[in-house]
Amino acid sequence: MFDALSRQPDDALLALIGLYNQDSRPGKVDLGVGVYRDEAGRTPVFRAVKAAERLLLESQDSKAYIGLEGDTLYLERLWNLVGGAAGRRVVAAGVQTPGGSGALRLAADLLLRGGCRRILVGTPTWPNHVGIFGAAGLTVSSHPFFDAAGQTVLFDRMVEALEAAGPGDAALLHGSCHNPTGAPLSADQWAVLAATLEKRGVLPLVDLAYQGFGRGLEEDAAGLRHLIAAVPETLVAVSSSKSFGLYRERTGAIFAVSASADAAALARSNLMALARTSYSMPPDHGAAVVRTILGDEALTRDWREELEGMRARIVGLRRALAAGLAPVWPALSAIEGQEGMFSLLPLTEAEVLRLRAEHAIYMPTSGRINIAGLKTADVAEVVARFAALR
Ligand SMILES: Cc1ncc(COP(=O)(O)O)c(C=O)c1O
């Protein structure tokens, strides 16, 4: 049977890592990677994570299963972080998942169980959104979200798509730090989205994968907090991969949010049943680490401080990149006002390949760059190479 299978294309981003690693040129620059990097090019383990791991090593006395729901204290503390005060005025039934990806997949499975057949997704988006929703069996309906040449959000087009949708449809929203564009939505735009979703009876699925990397922990959840207060039901997929640097520990959660405790509990029982026939129980370690950090004031303070340092580094790099590029490429001054790790440059595939071949600057052919892949010392060179394309 195996012979009858067709070869699948390599994941473009993973293939890019291989190409970058094989390049022996000094001064090569990796803007393709999807993880945070520090000034030395490392993806560090947070100090608070190390401290929590030491505590867990001493205190953990069993490796028995943690149950379908996962770590309930992790879920409670994570929801406090995500929902803030608004989160206490609704009921959020959470299930711990293997990463944000696992949360998105369970959300898609739940949507199908609940009779939803279609999900609206802005273009461009993280490619795996389309992959995950399609693999679950949802019809993915794309609408324009961003114009890379002008670096503008096509908000009217987004609202137009939602206006044409109705009950039985879901809509994917990025909580903040949009991947791949970095384009922020204003508070007014979130209010319009919430009102439109409510009016049309469309169920929002919010993907929150970068809380703390944009404007701050509270600010990055503000749109989502407005939304959960304005619509009857929301699904929130949270990833702890970036915010806690736990990428390989596969740590995330899906929250079914409702004003009704009964409705939320129903959603949770179905999420757990769906998990049972998929991966069954989630891995323990990452969630135990987050639970330990968020349950300890000193660890929380240290984690926040380190996260804020990462955010500040990205903000500084954005400012330098925008200042360098704006004189030759005015639209790219928008990079400064964008948020999170990613921005989307209006480059052709040929230009991306030329940067790679001639200057050892690596990014996917979409033109997405990870700002955190830059070292401060690289900025001038990268600006010069981008500017030379214009
Ligand atoms: C927008 C977005 N959502 C979700 C995820 C899922 O992250 P993970 O499954 O690693 O937690 C990512 C990871 O890159 C992402 O960029």
Side-chain angles (χ1 to χ4, degrees), residues 83-100:
R88 290 191 282 280
R89 290 192 284 274
V90 290
V91 183
V95 170
Q96 184 196 322
T97 55

Side-chain angles (χ1 to χ4, degrees), residues 13 34-35 97-104 125-126 128-129 132 172 174 176-180 207-210 237-242 246-248 250-252 341-342 368:
L13 271 176
V35 299
T97 55
S101 303
L104 289 165
T125 191
W126 182 47
N128 214 20
H129 282 143
I132 289 172
L172 172 79
H174 294 231
S176 51
C177 307
H178 188 275
N179 180 3
D207 183 3
L208 189 70
Y210 297 91
V238 185
S239 167
S240 298
S241 300
K242 278 80 180 182
L246 286 166
Y247 309 88
R248 68 175 64 168
R250 311 309 303 132
T251 312
M341 294 205 263
F342 305 115
R368 187 192 81 167

Side-chain angles (χ1 to χ4, degrees), residues 143-381:
H143 60 81
F145 172 76
F146 187 73
D147 169 47
Q151 294 287 299
T152 47
V153 172
L154 303 171
F155 189 68
D156 292 349
R157 305 287 298 274
M158 188 179 186
V159 173
E160 200 178 290
L162 294 177
E163 286 283 4
D169 291 329
L172 172 79
L173 301 173
H174 294 231
S176 51
C177 307
H178 188 275
N179 180 3
T181 70
L185 293 176
S186 68
D188 287 349
Q189 287 174 324
W190 274 101
V192 171
L193 289 180
T196 311
L197 289 161
E198 203 271 332
K199 182 178 77 177
R200 301 299 309 162
V202 176
L203 200 152
L205 165 54
V206 183
D207 183 3
L208 189 70
Y210 297 91
Q211 191 181 3
F213 279 92
R215 319 247 161 211
L217 276 168
E218 304 304 317
E219 295 85 343
D220 291 352
L224 157 66
R225 291 172 186 178
H226 178 86
L227 188 69
I228 58 174
V231 302
E233 292 176 346
T234 312
L235 286 166
V236 184
V238 185
S239 167
S240 298
S241 300
K242 278 80 180 182
S243 304
F244 290 86
L246 286 166
Y247 309 88
R248 68 175 64 168
E249 302 296 351
R250 311 309 303 132
T251 312
I254 180 74
F255 292 96
V257 183
S258 169
S260 151
D262 288 347
L266 261 179
R268 173 163 37 212
S269 87
N270 278 274
L271 287 166
M272 284 160 61
L274 289 162
R276 183 65 175 150
T277 53
S278 173
Y279 56 84
S280 193
M281 320 232 179
D284 167 68
H285 184 69
V289 166
V290 173
R291 178 240 300 152
T292 304
I293 294 173
L294 295 180
D296 181 289
E297 255 180 54
L299 288 182
T300 299
R301 202 176 318 115
D302 191 50
W303 162 70
R304 279 180 178 259
E305 222 175 86
E306 195 166 358
L307 180 61
E308 180 56 23
M310 294 177 175
R311 195 186 74 78
R313 184 177 122 71
I314 293 171
V315 168
L317 286 167
R318 284 192 170 282
R319 191 173 304 131
L321 207 51
L325 288 170
V328 272
W329 210 335
L332 294 188
S333 63
I335 289 174
E336 182 173 355
Q338 291 165 356
E339 54 183 40
M341 294 205 263
F342 305 115
S343 281
L344 187 69
L345 303 185
L347 300 179
T348 64
E349 186 172 336
E351 287 171 328
V352 169
L353 295 178
R354 221 172 89 205
L355 286 168
R356 202 181 292 170
E358 294 176 13
H359 305 297
I361 297 174
Y362 284 76
M363 69 181 80
T365 50
S366 64
R368 187 192 81 167
I369 56 169
N370 179 357
I371 308 278
L374 277 172
K375 296 172 185 140
T376 306
D378 295 336
V379 173
E381 168 75 6

